Amino acid sequence: MAGLLVLVVGILYLNQWRAGLIDARVQSLRVQGEIIAAAVAASATVDSDVISVNPDRLLQLQGDGAVSSLSYFDPTLEFPINPERVAPLLRNLITPTRTRARIYDQGGLMILDSDNIYARGEVMRQIIETKQADEFFLWDWWNAVLNWVPGDNFPKYQEYGVDEGSRYPEVASALQGAAADFVRVDGQNQLVVSVAVPVQRLRAVVGAILLSTAPGDIDSIVAQERWGILRIAMIAAAVQIVLSFALAGTIAGPMRRLSAAAERVQTAGNARAEIPDFTDRPDEIGHLSDAFRRMTDGLYNRIEAIERFAADVAHELKNPLTSLRSAVETLPLAKRPEDRERLNAIIQHDVKRLDRLITDISSASRLDAELARESSERVDVEKLAEAIVSIQKDMALGRGVTVEMDKRSGKGAAIVNGHESRLAQVFANLIDNAVSFSPEGGVVHVALSTDAEDVTITVTDQGRGITGDFNKIFQRFYTDRPDTESFGDHSGLGLSISKQIVDAHKGTIKAHNRSDHSGAVFSVVLPRARK
């Protein structure tokens, strides 16, 4: 409603329509005055049958000065205006225009007033005063507000006596031969526009005609326009109110329900708080509801994952601690040196296992925060894979295993957006697992391929393959190590961390056995970076 109010106020107060209406009215009165003045001048007659010549006056006007065609006569006889002849003419010209006309002679004496002309042209005194009808009180208040608002500062109109016509500035100017106009307001702040035009005959000014609008004539037109604007504004306001209720029911109501649901999620504790489902709506509310629901599910899943992680950590730490406690309690009871050495070896093994578990758990718990905090950069996966292969190749030689980088397939640069150190951790873990599962003399193949959308890295070993469920190997603390390795040498978090890193890069990691069951194949698919 504020925008509509500003628009209406701007139309009512800031436009120039009222000033243009006043200018148009002034021009209309001036043209009308010139026509009436010409008609009055043509009807002017001398009020005497005898015209005498004054010799002294004639001698005074001899010489170089310009002589008026009227200056040979006595000034008192210079074409006076006959009211009886002019009154019918003035009535016929003024009545259709709804204006007031007053005729003054050269001395400022009012000869005729159109408000006091009887229908037959007879002169009479106006004794009837018109009284304005009572208007609706709200309209009076509205006009009072409009009058109170600062605007044009017009002088007050004052009615002068019949012999004081020269006190009107426009009449005084017209008696000097120049037409003039003036705008005033009456006691009710209603506009009165006055235009005075000289009445001339043979280039001599014999009087002046003063035309003025009726008080409130222009104001009534402005008021009608304002009332029209207000009616349109009220219709627009009614439409806006209806739309406001409609929007309140379709937008504000669902927003309040979503807000209340978000507060319930905050105080729900372990219980899942349901977010209202507006996903069937194709607008922003539907998108917001879907985003809230997915965000809430993600939060609950993350909380449950943290709880499961804490339970898994407690379980994994409990086993080496139990073994360590038993070994420590048994050590003082051991008598033979070989028993004491065996118990010391168990203690050292369990301590190393605890240290490895704590290190991997700490790395896994910090992984999400580090990935969110570090900024992504463009990583050349081909160069990164070659560097990791060269490092793992030297390490695999100690186990009698060869690591080879196959020829790349596909076109286009193998560039992804991500964290180079974390991707290197994934490649190193996959190659290290492949080397540990491969028999002596085996070969680990690392292949890279690209297509229009993705970059794929494949690590293939020649071991016994995956014996259990393919999906379980990416769970935390899951171990399925070869028989050649002792229990506890691995924490079971390597592949879980690798999957966590790949998921953070919006990629996928999968595992399956070779078609001839001669090894396992791990594939990492990452989206290519856009230019």
Side-chain angles (χ1 to χ4, degrees), residues 77 95 103 140 148-149 196 206 211 337 352 360-361 381 458 475 483 502 525:
L77 301 177
T95 301
I103 299 178
D140 293 336
W148 175 79
V149 175
V206 296
L211 298 177
K352 290 180 180 179
D360 291 344
I361 290 170
V381 178
T458 304
Q475 295 179 358
D483 298 334
V502 173
V525 181

Side-chain angles (χ1 to χ4, degrees), residues 149-431:
V149 175
D152 299 325
N153 187 17
F154 296 114
K156 290 290 184 180
Y157 175 80
Q158 183 178 357
E159 188 80 22
Y160 294 111
V162 295
D163 59 344
E164 296 178 326
S166 299
R167 297 186 64 180
Y168 293 107
E170 60 271 32
V171 174
S173 176
L175 293 176
Q176 298 297 323
D181 58 82
F182 219 89
V183 182
R184 303 179 182 86
V185 291
D186 63 359
Q188 287 77 33
N189 286 323
Q190 296 176 331
L191 286 174
V192 178
V193 179
S194 301
V195 174
V197 178
V199 179
Q200 295 178 328
R201 185 179 176 89
L202 299 178
R203 294 183 297 175
V205 177
V206 296
I209 180 169
L210 177 63
L211 298 177
S212 57
T213 60
D217 186 13
I218 295 178
D219 298 275
S220 63
I221 299 176
V222 175
Q224 290 177 1
E225 294 297 327
R226 286 173 173 170
W227 177 239
I229 294 172
L230 288 178
R231 283 185 293 182
I232 296 175
M234 286 189 290
I235 295 174
V239 173
Q240 285 186 327
I241 291 173
V242 172
L243 291 178
S244 297
F245 280 108
L247 292 177
T250 58
I251 295 180
M255 290 290 289
R256 284 195 297 268
R257 293 178 59 186
L258 290 174
S259 176
E263 293 177 356
R264 289 196 301 270
V265 170
Q266 183 180 0
T267 58
N270 294 329
R272 278 182 176 258
E274 186 66 22
I275 300 295
D277 188 6
F278 299 113
T279 54
D280 56 334
R281 294 179 50 163
D283 56 2
E284 289 77 4
I285 300 298
H287 297 325
L288 182 62
S289 174
D290 182 57
F292 265 20
R293 292 173 64 86
R294 288 188 285 107
M295 179 189 69
T296 305
D297 291 341
L299 288 175
Y300 282 125
N301 293 335
R302 180 61 60 86
I303 293 173
E304 293 174 356
I306 293 174
E307 293 175 350
R308 289 195 302 269
F309 182 73
D312 294 341
V313 168
H315 177 73
E316 292 298 323
L317 290 178
K318 186 176 181 180
N319 291 333
L321 283 175
T322 301
S323 174
L324 182 62
R325 178 181 177 182
S326 299
V328 171
E329 291 177 350
T330 308
L331 183 62
L333 303 178
K335 303 299 183 181
R336 294 183 300 174
E338 57 272 16
D339 293 336
R340 299 175 65 88
E341 291 179 0
R342 183 171 58 83
L343 289 174
N344 284 328
I346 293 175
I347 292 173
Q348 292 179 4
H349 180 270
D350 289 338
V351 169
K352 290 180 180 179
R353 183 182 175 190
L354 282 173
D355 180 68
R356 187 181 304 107
L357 276 172
I358 293 173
T359 301
D360 291 344
I361 290 170
S362 176
S363 177
S365 62
R366 294 196 310 267
L367 183 60
D368 285 340
E370 292 178 357
L371 290 175
R373 183 170 58 251
E374 296 175 0
S375 58
S376 299
E377 58 185 10
R378 296 173 66 86
V379 179
D380 190 335
V381 178
E382 184 176 6
K383 293 182 179 179
L384 179 62
E386 291 175 351
I388 299 300
V389 167
S390 63
I391 295 174
Q392 293 293 327
K393 183 182 295 186
D394 297 335
M395 299 175 61
L397 290 177
R399 302 181 184 180
V401 178
T402 304
V403 179
E404 294 182 354
M405 182 78 179
D406 294 344
K407 184 178 180 181
R408 174 192 164 181
S409 62
K411 298 181 180 180
I415 305 296
V416 300
N417 289 324
H419 309 276
E420 185 175 8
S421 60
R422 292 301 180 181
L423 292 176
Q425 181 180 352
V426 173
F427 299 158
N429 184 46
L430 294 179
I431 296 174

